[in-house]
Short mmCIF file of all heavy atoms in Angstrom, two decimals:
data_model
loop_
_atom_site.label_atom_id
_atom_site.label_comp_id
_atom_site.label_asym_id
_atom_site.label_seq_id
_atom_site.Cartn_x
_atom_site.Cartn_y
_atom_site.Cartn_z
N ASP P 21 14.98 -11.32 17.24
CA ASP P 21 15.16 -11.71 15.86
C ASP P 21 13.86 -12.43 15.44
O ASP P 21 13.59 -13.57 15.90
CB ASP P 21 16.36 -12.63 15.69
CG ASP P 21 16.75 -12.86 14.25
OD1 ASP P 21 16.07 -12.29 13.34
OD2 ASP P 21 17.75 -13.57 14.00
N THR P 22 13.03 -11.81 14.62
CA THR P 22 11.74 -12.35 14.26
C THR P 22 11.58 -12.52 12.77
O THR P 22 11.96 -11.65 12.00
CB THR P 22 10.59 -11.40 14.79
OG1 THR P 22 10.65 -11.35 16.24
CG2 THR P 22 9.23 -11.88 14.34
N GLY P 23 11.01 -13.62 12.37
CA GLY P 23 10.70 -13.90 10.96
C GLY P 23 9.23 -14.31 10.83
O GLY P 23 8.71 -15.02 11.67
N TYR P 24 8.62 -13.81 9.77
CA TYR P 24 7.20 -14.18 9.54
C TYR P 24 6.88 -14.33 8.05
O TYR P 24 7.50 -13.70 7.19
CB TYR P 24 6.27 -13.14 10.20
CG TYR P 24 6.42 -11.75 9.60
CD1 TYR P 24 5.76 -11.33 8.44
CD2 TYR P 24 7.21 -10.79 10.26
CE1 TYR P 24 5.88 -10.10 7.92
CE2 TYR P 24 7.33 -9.49 9.76
CZ TYR P 24 6.67 -9.15 8.60
OH TYR P 24 6.81 -7.88 8.06
N LEU P 25 5.91 -15.17 7.79
CA LEU P 25 5.31 -15.28 6.50
C LEU P 25 3.80 -15.44 6.69
O LEU P 25 3.32 -16.41 7.23
CB LEU P 25 5.84 -16.48 5.70
CG LEU P 25 5.51 -16.54 4.20
CD1 LEU P 25 6.44 -17.52 3.46
CD2 LEU P 25 4.04 -16.97 3.96
N VAL P 26 3.08 -14.36 6.36
CA VAL P 26 1.61 -14.30 6.55
C VAL P 26 0.95 -14.36 5.20
O VAL P 26 1.28 -13.54 4.30
CB VAL P 26 1.20 -13.05 7.32
CG1 VAL P 26 -0.24 -13.16 7.75
CG2 VAL P 26 2.08 -12.83 8.53
N ASP P 27 -0.01 -15.27 5.01
CA ASP P 27 -0.63 -15.38 3.73
C ASP P 27 -2.14 -15.48 3.85
O ASP P 27 -2.69 -15.39 4.98
CB ASP P 27 -0.07 -16.55 2.93
CG ASP P 27 -0.24 -17.90 3.65
OD1 ASP P 27 -0.97 -17.99 4.66
OD2 ASP P 27 0.38 -18.87 3.22
N LYS P 28 -2.83 -15.64 2.75
CA LYS P 28 -4.32 -15.74 2.71
C LYS P 28 -4.91 -14.53 3.43
O LYS P 28 -4.54 -13.38 3.13
CB LYS P 28 -4.78 -17.06 3.29
CG LYS P 28 -4.24 -18.27 2.50
CD LYS P 28 -4.72 -19.57 3.15
CE LYS P 28 -4.10 -20.77 2.44
NZ LYS P 28 -4.47 -22.07 3.09
N ASP P 29 -5.81 -14.77 4.39
CA ASP P 29 -6.41 -13.68 5.12
C ASP P 29 -5.86 -13.57 6.56
O ASP P 29 -6.51 -13.11 7.49
CB ASP P 29 -7.94 -13.90 5.24
CG ASP P 29 -8.60 -13.75 3.86
OD1 ASP P 29 -8.48 -12.68 3.23
OD2 ASP P 29 -9.19 -14.74 3.40
N GLY P 30 -4.63 -14.02 6.73
CA GLY P 30 -4.02 -14.00 8.05
C GLY P 30 -3.66 -12.62 8.52
O GLY P 30 -3.52 -11.69 7.69
N THR P 31 -3.56 -12.46 9.82
CA THR P 31 -3.14 -11.21 10.40
C THR P 31 -2.05 -11.42 11.46
O THR P 31 -2.05 -12.44 12.13
CB THR P 31 -4.30 -10.45 11.11
OG1 THR P 31 -4.83 -11.23 12.18
CG2 THR P 31 -5.43 -10.17 10.11
N LEU P 32 -1.14 -10.48 11.54
CA LEU P 32 -0.07 -10.53 12.50
C LEU P 32 0.10 -9.18 13.16
O LEU P 32 0.24 -8.18 12.42
CB LEU P 32 1.26 -10.99 11.87
CG LEU P 32 2.49 -11.03 12.79
CD1 LEU P 32 2.36 -12.03 13.90
CD2 LEU P 32 3.74 -11.35 11.94
N ASP P 33 0.04 -9.11 14.47
CA ASP P 33 0.18 -7.85 15.18
C ASP P 33 1.33 -8.00 16.18
O ASP P 33 1.26 -8.87 17.07
CB ASP P 33 -1.12 -7.48 15.89
CG ASP P 33 -1.13 -6.06 16.38
OD1 ASP P 33 -0.55 -5.77 17.43
OD2 ASP P 33 -1.74 -5.19 15.66
N ILE P 34 2.38 -7.21 16.05
CA ILE P 34 3.59 -7.30 16.89
C ILE P 34 3.79 -6.07 17.71
O ILE P 34 3.65 -4.91 17.18
CB ILE P 34 4.82 -7.58 15.99
CG1 ILE P 34 4.64 -8.82 15.17
CG2 ILE P 34 6.09 -7.64 16.84
CD1 ILE P 34 5.74 -9.05 14.12
N ASN P 35 4.18 -6.24 18.96
CA ASN P 35 4.50 -5.07 19.80
C ASN P 35 5.73 -5.41 20.68
O ASN P 35 5.65 -6.28 21.56
CB ASN P 35 3.31 -4.74 20.74
CG ASN P 35 3.55 -3.50 21.53
OD1 ASN P 35 4.00 -2.48 21.01
ND2 ASN P 35 3.28 -3.57 22.87
N TYR P 36 6.82 -4.77 20.44
CA TYR P 36 8.03 -4.97 21.22
C TYR P 36 8.43 -3.64 21.90
O TYR P 36 8.44 -2.61 21.25
CB TYR P 36 9.24 -5.39 20.32
CG TYR P 36 9.07 -6.72 19.63
CD1 TYR P 36 9.62 -6.94 18.35
CD2 TYR P 36 8.42 -7.79 20.26
CE1 TYR P 36 9.43 -8.16 17.71
CE2 TYR P 36 8.26 -9.03 19.62
CZ TYR P 36 8.78 -9.19 18.34
OH TYR P 36 8.65 -10.40 17.72
N VAL P 37 8.71 -3.74 23.20
CA VAL P 37 9.07 -2.55 23.96
C VAL P 37 10.34 -2.86 24.76
O VAL P 37 10.42 -3.81 25.55
CB VAL P 37 7.95 -2.15 24.93
CG1 VAL P 37 8.35 -0.88 25.72
CG2 VAL P 37 6.61 -1.94 24.18
N ALA P 38 11.34 -2.01 24.57
CA ALA P 38 12.60 -2.12 25.35
C ALA P 38 12.66 -0.92 26.25
O ALA P 38 12.80 0.24 25.80
CB ALA P 38 13.83 -2.18 24.45
N ARG P 39 12.59 -1.14 27.57
CA ARG P 39 12.70 -0.06 28.57
C ARG P 39 14.12 0.05 29.09
O ARG P 39 14.54 -0.81 29.87
CB ARG P 39 11.74 -0.33 29.72
CG ARG P 39 10.30 -0.56 29.38
CD ARG P 39 9.54 0.71 29.12
NE ARG P 39 8.11 0.45 29.03
CZ ARG P 39 7.23 1.30 28.52
NH1 ARG P 39 7.62 2.49 28.05
NH2 ARG P 39 5.96 1.01 28.46
N HIS P 40 14.83 1.02 28.65
CA HIS P 40 16.23 1.20 29.06
C HIS P 40 16.24 2.03 30.37
O HIS P 40 15.91 3.21 30.37
CB HIS P 40 17.01 1.96 28.00
CG HIS P 40 17.29 1.15 26.79
ND1 HIS P 40 18.47 0.54 26.52
CD2 HIS P 40 16.51 0.84 25.69
CE1 HIS P 40 18.44 -0.08 25.34
NE2 HIS P 40 17.24 0.09 24.84
N ARG P 41 16.65 1.34 31.43
CA ARG P 41 16.74 2.00 32.74
C ARG P 41 18.19 2.10 33.25
O ARG P 41 18.59 3.10 33.85
CB ARG P 41 15.87 1.30 33.79
CG ARG P 41 14.40 1.19 33.36
CD ARG P 41 13.53 0.57 34.48
NE ARG P 41 12.21 0.19 33.99
CZ ARG P 41 11.19 1.03 33.95
NH1 ARG P 41 11.35 2.33 34.35
NH2 ARG P 41 9.99 0.63 33.50
N GLY P 42 18.94 1.01 33.01
CA GLY P 42 20.32 0.98 33.47
C GLY P 42 21.30 1.61 32.50
O GLY P 42 21.02 1.78 31.32
N LYS P 43 22.46 1.98 33.01
CA LYS P 43 23.51 2.54 32.17
C LYS P 43 24.10 1.48 31.21
O LYS P 43 24.20 0.33 31.58
CB LYS P 43 24.62 3.12 33.07
CG LYS P 43 24.16 4.28 33.93
CD LYS P 43 25.32 4.83 34.79
CE LYS P 43 24.86 6.00 35.62
NZ LYS P 43 25.93 6.52 36.47
N LEU P 44 24.47 1.95 30.05
CA LEU P 44 25.12 1.09 29.03
C LEU P 44 24.28 -0.10 28.64
O LEU P 44 24.76 -1.14 28.24
CB LEU P 44 26.48 0.63 29.50
CG LEU P 44 27.59 1.69 29.48
CD1 LEU P 44 28.80 1.22 30.22
CD2 LEU P 44 27.99 2.01 28.02
N THR P 45 22.95 0.04 28.76
CA THR P 45 22.05 -1.03 28.31
C THR P 45 21.98 -0.98 26.78
O THR P 45 22.26 0.01 26.16
CB THR P 45 20.62 -0.86 28.89
OG1 THR P 45 20.20 0.49 28.72
CG2 THR P 45 20.65 -1.17 30.39
N ASP P 46 21.58 -2.14 26.19
CA ASP P 46 21.58 -2.23 24.72
C ASP P 46 20.39 -3.07 24.29
O ASP P 46 20.09 -4.11 24.87
CB ASP P 46 22.86 -2.86 24.23
CG ASP P 46 22.88 -3.01 22.71
OD1 ASP P 46 22.90 -1.98 22.03
OD2 ASP P 46 22.81 -4.16 22.23
N SER P 47 19.69 -2.60 23.23
CA SER P 47 18.62 -3.40 22.63
C SER P 47 18.76 -3.39 21.13
O SER P 47 19.12 -2.39 20.52
CB SER P 47 17.23 -2.80 23.01
OG SER P 47 17.09 -1.48 22.48
N LYS P 48 18.48 -4.56 20.55
CA LYS P 48 18.48 -4.76 19.11
C LYS P 48 17.18 -5.48 18.75
O LYS P 48 16.92 -6.57 19.30
CB LYS P 48 19.68 -5.54 18.65
CG LYS P 48 21.01 -4.86 18.85
CD LYS P 48 22.16 -5.70 18.32
CE LYS P 48 23.49 -5.00 18.46
NZ LYS P 48 23.86 -4.73 19.86
N ILE P 49 16.40 -4.89 17.89
CA ILE P 49 15.15 -5.48 17.42
C ILE P 49 15.21 -5.62 15.89
O ILE P 49 15.29 -4.65 15.19
CB ILE P 49 13.93 -4.64 17.82
CG1 ILE P 49 13.87 -4.49 19.37
CG2 ILE P 49 12.65 -5.26 17.30
CD1 ILE P 49 12.79 -3.52 19.82
N GLY P 50 15.22 -6.86 15.42
CA GLY P 50 15.23 -7.11 13.95
C GLY P 50 14.04 -7.97 13.57
O GLY P 50 13.83 -9.05 14.12
N VAL P 51 13.30 -7.50 12.61
CA VAL P 51 12.09 -8.18 12.13
C VAL P 51 12.16 -8.24 10.62
O VAL P 51 12.45 -7.26 9.95
CB VAL P 51 10.80 -7.43 12.57
CG1 VAL P 51 9.55 -8.14 12.03
CG2 VAL P 51 10.75 -7.32 14.10
N SER P 52 11.92 -9.46 10.09
CA SER P 52 11.98 -9.68 8.64
C SER P 52 10.85 -10.58 8.24
O SER P 52 10.61 -11.59 8.90
CB SER P 52 13.33 -10.32 8.25
OG SER P 52 13.33 -10.62 6.90
N GLY P 53 10.09 -10.19 7.20
CA GLY P 53 8.95 -11.01 6.85
C GLY P 53 8.38 -10.81 5.48
O GLY P 53 8.85 -9.98 4.70
N VAL P 54 7.37 -11.63 5.17
CA VAL P 54 6.73 -11.66 3.87
C VAL P 54 5.23 -11.60 4.06
O VAL P 54 4.67 -12.29 4.89
CB VAL P 54 7.10 -12.97 3.11
CG1 VAL P 54 6.45 -12.99 1.72
CG2 VAL P 54 8.59 -13.13 2.95
N LEU P 55 4.59 -10.74 3.26
CA LEU P 55 3.11 -10.68 3.25
C LEU P 55 2.64 -11.03 1.82
O LEU P 55 3.15 -10.49 0.84
CB LEU P 55 2.61 -9.24 3.57
CG LEU P 55 3.00 -8.72 4.98
CD1 LEU P 55 2.50 -7.29 5.13
CD2 LEU P 55 2.42 -9.59 6.08
N ARG P 56 1.67 -11.92 1.79
CA ARG P 56 1.16 -12.30 0.50
C ARG P 56 -0.37 -12.45 0.50
O ARG P 56 -0.99 -12.43 1.61
CB ARG P 56 1.80 -13.58 -0.01
CG ARG P 56 1.73 -14.72 0.91
CD ARG P 56 2.79 -15.81 0.60
NE ARG P 56 2.81 -16.20 -0.79
CZ ARG P 56 3.62 -17.18 -1.26
NH1 ARG P 56 4.44 -17.82 -0.41
NH2 ARG P 56 3.64 -17.45 -2.53
N ASP P 57 -1.01 -12.54 -0.63
CA ASP P 57 -2.47 -12.65 -0.78
C ASP P 57 -3.16 -11.43 -0.19
O ASP P 57 -2.94 -10.32 -0.66
CB ASP P 57 -2.96 -13.97 -0.13
CG ASP P 57 -2.26 -15.18 -0.69
OD1 ASP P 57 -2.02 -15.22 -1.90
OD2 ASP P 57 -1.95 -16.10 0.11
N ARG P 58 -3.92 -11.61 0.89
CA ARG P 58 -4.64 -10.49 1.52
C ARG P 58 -4.19 -10.31 2.97
O ARG P 58 -4.96 -9.81 3.81
CB ARG P 58 -6.18 -10.78 1.45
CG ARG P 58 -6.68 -10.89 0.01
CD ARG P 58 -8.02 -11.57 -0.03
NE ARG P 58 -7.98 -12.91 0.54
CZ ARG P 58 -7.49 -13.99 -0.07
NH1 ARG P 58 -7.01 -13.91 -1.30
NH2 ARG P 58 -7.51 -15.17 0.54
N ALA P 59 -2.99 -10.70 3.28
CA ALA P 59 -2.50 -10.67 4.66
C ALA P 59 -2.37 -9.24 5.17
O ALA P 59 -2.15 -8.30 4.41
CB ALA P 59 -1.17 -11.40 4.75
N GLU P 60 -2.49 -9.12 6.53
CA GLU P 60 -2.30 -7.84 7.22
C GLU P 60 -1.29 -8.01 8.31
O GLU P 60 -1.30 -8.99 9.02
CB GLU P 60 -3.63 -7.32 7.75
CG GLU P 60 -4.69 -7.03 6.73
CD GLU P 60 -5.93 -6.41 7.33
OE1 GLU P 60 -5.89 -6.01 8.50
OE2 GLU P 60 -6.95 -6.39 6.64
N LYS P 61 -0.48 -6.95 8.48
CA LYS P 61 0.54 -7.02 9.55
C LYS P 61 0.83 -5.62 10.09
O LYS P 61 0.89 -4.67 9.35
CB LYS P 61 1.85 -7.59 9.03
CG LYS P 61 2.95 -7.83 10.05
CD LYS P 61 4.24 -7.10 9.67
CE LYS P 61 4.15 -5.65 9.90
NZ LYS P 61 5.25 -4.87 9.36
N THR P 62 0.90 -5.54 11.44
CA THR P 62 1.31 -4.30 12.10
C THR P 62 2.49 -4.61 13.02
O THR P 62 2.47 -5.57 13.80
CB THR P 62 0.16 -3.72 12.95
OG1 THR P 62 -0.95 -3.37 12.11
CG2 THR P 62 0.61 -2.49 13.68
N PHE P 63 3.55 -3.79 12.89
CA PHE P 63 4.71 -3.95 13.76
C PHE P 63 4.91 -2.66 14.52
O PHE P 63 5.05 -1.57 13.91
CB PHE P 63 5.96 -4.29 12.95
CG PHE P 63 7.24 -4.06 13.71
CD1 PHE P 63 7.50 -4.89 14.79
CD2 PHE P 63 8.12 -3.09 13.38
CE1 PHE P 63 8.71 -4.68 15.53
CE2 PHE P 63 9.33 -2.89 14.06
CZ PHE P 63 9.60 -3.69 15.16
N ARG P 64 4.90 -2.77 15.84
CA ARG P 64 5.25 -1.65 16.73
C ARG P 64 6.55 -1.99 17.43
O ARG P 64 6.63 -3.02 18.10
CB ARG P 64 4.16 -1.38 17.77
CG ARG P 64 2.79 -1.11 17.19
CD ARG P 64 1.76 -1.03 18.30
NE ARG P 64 0.40 -1.17 17.77
CZ ARG P 64 -0.20 -2.30 17.47
NH1 ARG P 64 0.47 -3.45 17.70
NH2 ARG P 64 -1.38 -2.34 16.93
N GLY P 65 7.55 -1.16 17.29
CA GLY P 65 8.84 -1.37 17.98
C GLY P 65 9.17 -0.10 18.73
O GLY P 65 9.35 0.97 18.11
#
């Protein structure tokens, strides 16, 4: 569960990896955020 607010000339680079190997495994990835001014953001899930 990720929250972000990036402003001005800020940058945010996110990389989340869920490797499912076992039976009945479960992953939930939730990202919520705000970009303002000249901000840059990359999200890899």
Side-chain angles (χ1 to χ4, degrees):
D21 193 358
T22 296
Y24 61 82
L25 193 162
V26 190
D27 59 13
K28 300 178 184 176
D29 294 299
T31 62
L32 176 62
D33 194 279
I34 302 173
N35 185 47
Y36 296 145
V37 181
R39 305 280 190 196
H40 289 259
R41 304 183 191 276
K43 295 180 179 179
L44 285 167
T45 49
D46 179 67
S47 64
K48 294 182 177 64
I49 300 173
V51 178
S52 176
V54 180
L55 299 177
R56 54 198 312 183
D57 304 320
R58 298 162 301 282
E60 298 184 11
K61 185 236 75 190
T62 296
F63 165 65
R64 303 173 196 83

